[in-house]
Amino acid sequence: MSNYHIKHLEEYYQVYRKSVRAPENFWEEVAEEHFLWQKKWDNVLSWDFSKPEVKWFEGAQLNITENCIDRHLATRGDKTAILFEPNDPKDDAEHITYNQLHQRVNQFANVLKDQGIKKGDRVCVYLPMIPELAIAVLACARIGAIHSVVFAGFSATALSTRINDSDCKMVITSDGSYRGAKTIDLKGIVDEALKECACVETVLVAKRIHSDIDMKSGRDKWLQPLLDTASTDCKAELMNAEDPLFILYTSGSTGQPKGMVHTTAGYMVYTAYSFKNAFQYKEDDVYWCTADIGWITGHSYIVYGPLANGATTIMFEGVPSYPDFGRFWEIVEKHKVNQFYTAPTAIRALAKQGLELVEKYDLSTLKVLGSVGEPINEEAWHWYNDNVGKKKSPIVDTWWQTETGGIMITPIPFVTPTKPTYATLPFIGIQPALMDENGKELKGNQVDGRLCIKFPWPSMARTIWGNHQRYKDTYFSAYENKYFTGDGALRDEVGYYRITGRVDDVIIVSGHNLGTAPIEDAINEHPAVAESAIVGFPHDVKGNALYGYVILKDVGETRVHDNLRKEINQIITEHIGPIAKLDKIQFTQGLPKTRSGKIMRRILRKIAHKDTSNLGDTSTLLNPEVVQDIMDNAL
Ligand code: WT7
């Protein structure tokens, strides 16, 4: 038996040891017993982190949609697969059964084929959280097209960069989207983006807000009429284990976003196995992850992981604050949610609202609470534990990344004793290492270092689309023979991990991973701006907010500064999206630089944190005099 479902702590340790001592045997057993293969593998794992190259289940053939849909039909055909909860609570929820999902995915897959999409083609999906989003993703997987979902909060420029980077032939979008009381003109954003994208031949448009939009003839097609006439049969394409399943972009510390490439078999096995255990999902449970499918959390733990387990997974279109801040709890009561998975930033925003909104609803069905995206602070942890979980639902603080594909460090609920702010123990098969400044592994407990992973796991990204060298440089060059996460962590006296935050130029704002360089590039496009530097500073809801130091070409008058601040945020919104707007913008004459011309962000960070007691030695700077000036004018 492969211990597919871990039930107590002794079993965790036993299975963990097995997964580390004989990883190939362990994952082979899991893969054998719990998935549908058209052909089994010749080799479980081959790897070489120096190239880097990792292959799991080589030689195997499968289709992930047969695992997520077809194989459930005999026993779960009438069970709800996707439960869609719309933006407006007055509108009806939609229960899509496994049978219906099968039909709809097949129809969509046939539409893709009719429109000339073939195995290996890239399809960009730019949709709000409506059923078509999950169905489009699965339809791509059905025919072996590589989906590249772009979060529908990204701007036209960000969208076009991502479309061009992976040469997408098609964009799937909608006429618009709802966001609380607002509507967003998604199709307008797509039109703007596509001015820059010669690769896109077809745009499929779902109707959501029924707005009057421009349809470019020959390029744009309404989705529904095509679906209506499409057959509900579509044979699943035979995919090799290592064929790409999807590309998902994440920010890096330099300009261009990184298109992380995830492949088929390993991703499926790991997301399914981790979903089952990290949430202790049982057959009739209703599971809800509040993330957007535009992020990895949604890919792995709204779509693939839950569906591979035959689960009922909720897709929520709306926002936590509409029509009021009780919306999440209303949904938990209405759909009798058993597992609830959200981000610390949402918890902090809800904790500010007063308890009446939580106490008004029956949350007694909740069994497991999850947290993801950034470190959860102690106060938020307790609020979540006391008021939502009523101290009886364990909190799983799950640490992982777009690059890791699945959850890496997490408690297993009812198995691992939790500890506030600790992601606790490595998940089965995961071998973390903490490294010191000199690149040596820190052994033993009570140590603090940079978090690496020293052995491959099935769902790790295999490359960056079109740039394997960057993949190697970013993740496999800092420490020999190890995957470097970019995070710092400490290990306590019992071996529990606590993630302390990014150690690179990535800032997590409201759980969104933002690189400083692309934001600075955007700001520098403003004609009045000479140079800029972005750092993070603590924010009570967002976790971190952005502080920008901006040098103007002409110093100008202070009274125009407020307008400039607006314009700078406007440019950021256009280039990246509203999530990257700056909370504070300080205009300055200079930025502290080293003699080699590198901006000393450490100093800027301290000033933004209002922690200037120990700035360290500034005398070696090229321009030490600017430091005092920046401090005097800090916001
Ligand atoms: C970065 C990855 C994985 C899905 C969402 C984010 C931070 C993520 C935690 C956690 C502390 C966390 C890390 C990581 N992070 N989860 N439970 N505790 N930090 O994916 O956008 O790729 O961001 O998010 O800094 O490196 P992502």
Side-chain angles (χ1 to χ4, degrees):
M1 264 301 286
S2 67
N3 311 95
Y4 190 72
H5 186 188
I6 293 159
K7 297 185 198 65
H8 50 84
L9 192 59
E10 214 21 69
E11 192 182 6
Y12 161 80
Y13 280 112
Q14 182 212 325
V15 177
Y16 182 75
R17 278 195 294 270
K18 179 167 150 188
S19 76
V20 166
R21 283 185 194 149
E24 284 93 339
N25 293 349
F26 174 76
W27 289 112
E28 175 160 47
E29 278 177 30
V30 173
E32 285 264 10
E33 288 172 24
H34 299 281
F35 299 90
L36 178 68
W37 304 91
Q38 296 302 338
K39 178 180 171 290
K40 294 269 167 78
W41 44 92
D42 305 316
N43 189 23
V44 181
L45 170 66
S46 61
W47 66 291
D48 178 351
F49 275 179
S50 72
K51 282 184 173 169
E53 186 179 86
V54 173
K55 290 181 178 164
W56 283 92
F57 307 112
E58 230 190 324
Q61 291 190 313
L62 72 155
N63 187 288
I64 197 169
T65 69
E66 288 187 320
N67 282 274
C68 289
I69 308 171
D70 303 52
R71 68 171 167 144
H72 304 311
L73 298 181
T75 52
R76 302 183 177 110
D78 293 325
K79 176 177 175 176
T80 302
I82 294 176
L83 203 174
F84 171 63
E85 174 64 31
N87 177 63
D88 187 338
K90 293 199 284 298
D91 292 343
D92 289 336
E94 188 184 348
H95 291 255
I96 303 170
T97 65
Y98 275 93
N99 279 325
Q100 291 165 336
L101 184 64
H102 183 247
Q103 293 179 2
R104 290 177 69 173
V105 167
N106 282 346
Q107 285 181 309
F108 208 132
N110 282 323
V111 169
L112 295 178
K113 285 207 277 194
D114 292 344
Q115 299 300 319
I117 299 298
K118 296 192 183 58
K119 179 174 178 176
D121 286 345
R122 275 79 59 208
V123 172
C124 173
V125 182
Y126 186 71
L127 279 170
M129 282 286 282
I130 56 177
E132 284 80 356
L133 169 50
I135 293 167
V137 159
L138 292 162
C140 288
R142 186 87 177 165
I143 65 166
I146 302 170
H147 55 78
S148 168
V149 182
V150 176
F151 172 59
F154 275 118
S155 70
T157 314
L159 176 60
S160 66
T161 309
R162 286 160 177 76
I163 290 171
N164 286 332
D165 183 76
S166 47
D167 241 328
C168 295
K169 260 174 94 168
M170 176 187 271
V171 177
I172 304 171
T173 189
S174 65
D175 58 348
S177 63
Y178 292 114
R179 195 176 163 75
K182 290 191 289 194
T183 57
I184 296 165
D185 173 21
L186 277 196
K187 177 62 167 50
I189 298 173
V190 170
D191 289 341
E192 183 64 31
L194 292 192
K195 288 181 188 161
E196 308 297 324
C197 304
C199 49
V200 174
E201 294 163 12
T202 312
V203 178
L204 297 182
V205 187
K207 264 208 171 98
R208 179 57 187 149
I209 66 169
H210 298 271
S211 73
D212 196 14
I213 57 166
D214 285 339
M215 294 289 277
K216 187 170 167 190
S217 100
R219 187 194 72 181
D220 302 350
K221 293 168 187 158
W222 288 106
L223 176 63
Q224 198 55 49
L226 299 175
L227 288 172
D228 289 342
T229 55
S231 156
T232 54
D233 279 326
C234 177
K235 199 175 163 307
E237 186 76 35
L238 261 192
M239 302 301 286
N240 293 322
E242 285 295 337
D243 280 341
L245 174 63
F246 64 86
I247 301 169
L248 186 62
Y249 287 88
T250 186
S251 327
S253 36
T254 56
Q256 188 81 352
K258 298 174 288 192
M260 305 312 305
V261 178
H262 283 283
T263 59
T264 307
Y267 176 81
M268 171 182 80
V269 169
Y270 193 85
T271 54
Y273 182 74
S274 53
F275 171 75
K276 175 76 183 169
N277 285 288
F279 299 103
Q280 293 283 305
Y281 184 84
K282 308 252 165 58
E283 183 62 38
D284 295 316
D285 288 345
V286 175
Y287 162 85
W288 180 23
C289 165
T290 70
D292 193 290
I293 293 174
W295 311 113
I296 192 68
T297 310
H299 281 61
S300 301
Y301 299 110
I302 295 178
V303 181
Y304 289 115
L307 296 179
N309 283 281
T312 297
T313 175
I314 295 183
M315 263 183 90
F316 175 46
E317 183 186 27
V319 292
S321 55
Y322 178 81
D324 63 40
F325 278 96
R327 183 70 162 126
F328 273 7
W329 319 128
E330 184 218 337
I331 295 172
V332 169
E333 176 182 285
K334 179 173 168 195
H335 297 304
K336 303 190 165 51
V337 172
N338 302 112
Q339 290 89 1
F340 176 74
Y341 192 26
T342 197
T345 183
I347 298 166
R348 289 190 295 264
L350 294 167
K352 283 197 142 185
Q353 305 303 319
L355 282 177
E356 329 76 74
L357 286 166
V358 189
E359 283 162 357
K360 209 168 128 187
Y361 299 100
D362 177 6
L363 308 182
S364 62
T365 51
L366 288 173
K367 294 193 283 191
V368 176
L369 303 177
S371 172
V372 63
E374 59 186 307
I376 177 165
N377 51 306
E378 190 133 13
E379 211 184 329
W381 195 98
H382 284 294
W383 186 87
Y384 199 26
N385 188 44
D386 295 353
N387 302 301
V388 181
K390 321 285 182 200
K391 296 195 167 116
K392 66 172 183 48
S393 304
I395 295 177
V396 290
D397 178 359
T398 63
W399 172 83
W400 56 297
Q401 310 177 295
T402 305
E403 295 86 336
T404 68
I407 292 170
M408 302 290 280
I409 303 182
T410 183
I412 294 177
F414 308 106
V415 171
T416 320
T418 59
K419 177 174 175 182
T421 77
Y422 281 75
T424 76
L425 296 171
F427 190 69
I428 304 300
I430 303 306
Q431 302 188 34
L434 295 179
M435 312 300 291
D436 73 11
E437 322 248 284
N438 306 317
K440 258 190 54 206
E441 184 175 348
L442 294 157
K443 301 280 183 172
N445 289 340
Q446 288 188 292
V447 289
D448 189 341
R450 299 188 166 209
L451 179 60
C452 288
I453 313 290
K454 38 183 187 182
F455 194 85
W457 63 100
S459 65
M460 64 189 290
R462 304 295 196 259
T463 190
I464 292 175
W465 184 264
N467 200 344
H468 196 66
Q469 187 61 42
R470 187 173 180 199
Y471 178 66
K472 180 176 177 172
D473 294 345
T474 312
Y475 304 106
F476 295 90
S477 302
Y479 304 97
E480 204 187 337
N481 230 9
K482 288 179 185 63
Y483 166 83
F484 175 47
T485 64
D487 282 314
L490 59 85
R491 190 162 54 220
D492 77 358
E493 60 289 348
V494 298
Y496 275 16
Y497 289 84
R498 176 187 185 160
I499 311 302
T500 47
R502 301 292 307 188
V503 295
D504 55 11
D505 289 335
V506 170
I507 305 171
I508 314 265
V509 179
S510 299
H512 300 310
N513 196 327
L514 298 174
T516 50
I519 304 174
E520 289 161 7
D521 292 348
I523 299 173
N524 298 348
E525 298 267 310
H526 192 288
V529 171
E531 201 182 355
S532 59
I534 304 295
V535 297
F537 71 99
H539 183 282
D540 62 351
V541 173
K542 301 180 190 183
N544 294 296
L546 300 176
Y547 192 122
Y549 297 90
V550 175
I551 305 179
L552 296 175
K553 286 178 182 157
D554 279 322
V555 182
E557 295 173 58
T558 21
R559 65 189 165 81
V560 302
H561 284 179
D562 278 342
N563 287 338
L564 276 175
R565 287 191 174 94
K566 278 200 199 109
E567 288 170 21
I568 287 169
N569 270 330
Q570 184 56 34
I571 283 208
I572 294 172
T573 304
E574 281 160 19
H575 280 247
I576 298 158
I579 51 179
K581 282 204 265 187
L582 309 182
D583 271 35
K584 292 184 182 178
I585 300 177
Q586 177 177 355
F587 295 105
T588 169
Q589 319 265 5
L591 293 167
K593 292 198 175 164
T594 62
R595 288 186 191 275
S596 60
K598 211 170 162 294
I599 299 172
M600 286 288 279
R601 288 169 197 281
R602 185 178 54 77
I603 293 173
L604 296 175
R605 224 174 271 134
K606 286 210 154 186
I607 297 173
H609 282 229
K610 299 197 189 308
D611 166 26
T612 50
S613 54
N614 179 17
L615 281 184
D617 183 10
T618 55
S619 64
T620 58
L621 290 175
L622 193 66
N623 50 352
E625 71 286 352
V626 301
V627 176
Q628 190 60 47
D629 185 59
I630 294 177
M631 274 163 56
D632 291 346
N633 295 297
L635 300 172

